[in-house]
Amino acid sequence: MSKVNAKTPWHRIRESLDDYAPEKLAAVLRRHLEPRVPPGTRKLPDEERKAMAKQVARLLEENLPPWYSESGVLLGNESLGAYCWCHSFFNQQPTPTMNVNDNIQLMLNALEQSRAWLFKLDAAYQTLQRELPSEPGDDDIRVLALADGLVQVLDITIQETGCEETWYVFADRALAWMFDALMIRPGYQAGKLMNKLFAFESWHSPPIEELRDSAEKVAAAVVEDEGRRAHRKH
C-alpha cells in the first residue's frame, strides 16, 4: 500500500478501495427498487424514473466509501463507467429492461470499471514511489522517472476514459493524486506549467510525443522547485 500522508485525498481513497461488497450494495438497491418496479412493469413514467434515479444516487453515496464519494467517479459521470442515468437506468435503448436485477448489474459493472481505474493508478503510483531516486545528485534521473510516471498516469486515464466528455477532469485528479502518493508538493511554477501543458479537451487524445515532451518539462519544474525549497532550508 502506498505510504502517503493520511491527510491527503489519495490516502483516503486508497485506504477505502478494498472496502467494497457488491453483494451487500446489490441487496440495498434491490430492497429499494423492487417495491417501486414490481414484476410486470412495462414502462416507468419519466418523472417517476428520474426521481427514483436521484434516490438511488443518494443511496450509492450513503453506502459506498471514499473511493466512490471523494474520487469523482460518481455513477453517471460522463467519462468513466459508461453509465448514464438518462439512458441506462430503466431506460435502455432500443428496448428498456424493467428487470431490477439486470439494472442493478449495469450499475455494479460501471462501478467496477471506475474502481479498476483507481487500482491501476495505485499500482502506477506505488511503482513510481519505489523507483524514484532521492539521493543528492540524482536530479536528472528523478526528472526522467517523474516524467515516466506522469505519462503512465495520463495513459492509464486516456485508456480508461476513451477521452470522452470532460475526461480531462479525471486526468487532473490522477495527476494530483500521484503527487499525493509521492508526498511531493509541486511549487507555483510547476503548477502553472501543468495547467498550461496539460490543458486537455474532450474527445481529443493528445499524441504520446506531445505528452512526453510536456511531462519532461513539468517534471523538471517539479525537481527545480524541490531544489529551491531544499536550498532555502540550509
Side-chain angles (χ1 to χ4, degrees):
M1 185 172 295
S2 302
K3 185 179 179 182
V4 296
N5 188 311
K7 295 181 180 179
T8 68
W10 176 249
H11 179 270
R12 292 191 297 273
I13 292 166
R14 177 61 189 92
E15 286 291 307
S16 71
L17 272 176
D18 293 323
D19 184 14
Y20 178 53
E23 299 84 2
K24 290 183 179 179
L25 179 62
V28 169
L29 296 174
R30 198 174 294 114
R31 284 195 297 271
H32 182 82
L33 291 171
E34 284 182 340
R36 293 165 173 80
V37 192
T41 301
R42 302 287 296 274
K43 183 176 174 59
L44 292 172
D46 281 348
E47 290 306 312
E48 182 180 336
R49 182 179 55 78
K50 290 176 182 177
M52 196 161 61
K54 290 180 180 179
Q55 294 164 2
V56 170
R58 283 196 295 271
L59 279 176
L60 292 174
E61 292 202 55
E62 291 168 1
N63 287 274
L64 286 171
W67 70 259
Y68 177 79
S69 57
E70 296 185 21
S71 69
V73 298
L74 301 182
L75 198 67
N77 75 77
E78 297 177 306
S79 303
L80 279 165
Y83 191 92
C84 167
W85 288 110
C86 293
H87 300 106
S88 302
F89 186 74
F90 293 95
N91 196 36
Q92 300 83 2
Q93 299 298 325
T95 305
T97 175
M98 295 294 111
N99 183 285
V100 167
N101 286 327
D102 288 349
N103 276 277
I104 289 174
Q105 190 59 53
L106 286 175
M107 292 184 238
L108 297 181
N109 291 346
L111 291 172
E112 194 54 49
Q113 183 178 332
S114 297
R115 188 163 164 263
W117 172 63
L118 296 171
F119 270 118
K120 289 178 182 179
L121 290 178
D122 184 58
Y125 300 157
Q126 291 194 55
T127 298
L128 179 57
Q129 187 179 45
R130 288 193 301 268
E131 297 178 353
L132 190 65
S134 58
E135 296 300 319
D138 282 342
D139 284 2
D140 289 345
I141 302 174
R142 190 170 174 83
V143 167
L144 291 176
L146 277 175
D148 286 344
L150 289 166
V151 171
Q152 184 181 11
V153 165
L154 288 171
D155 185 57
I156 289 170
T157 305
I158 287 168
Q159 297 303 319
E160 291 297 314
T161 63
C163 294
E164 294 192 8
E165 189 74 26
T166 66
W167 75 276
Y168 48 82
V169 172
F170 294 97
D172 289 345
R173 287 175 180 152
L175 294 175
W177 295 334
M178 187 190 91
F179 289 114
D180 278 354
L182 297 174
M183 293 185 288
I184 292 175
R185 180 171 58 86
Y188 173 76
Q189 292 300 329
K192 186 177 178 181
L193 198 58
M194 285 177 67
N195 290 336
K196 177 183 177 182
L197 297 179
F198 294 148
F200 304 121
E201 298 177 357
S202 298
W203 310 108
H204 175 69
S205 175
I208 190 65
E209 299 83 5
E210 180 182 311
L211 273 185
R212 181 74 207 183
D213 182 62
S214 296
E216 289 180 0
K217 291 175 181 176
V218 168
V222 169
V223 172
E224 186 177 338
D225 283 341
E226 288 180 320
R228 278 196 291 266
R229 280 197 292 266
H231 180 73
R232 285 198 294 267
K233 290 180 180 179
H234 295 292

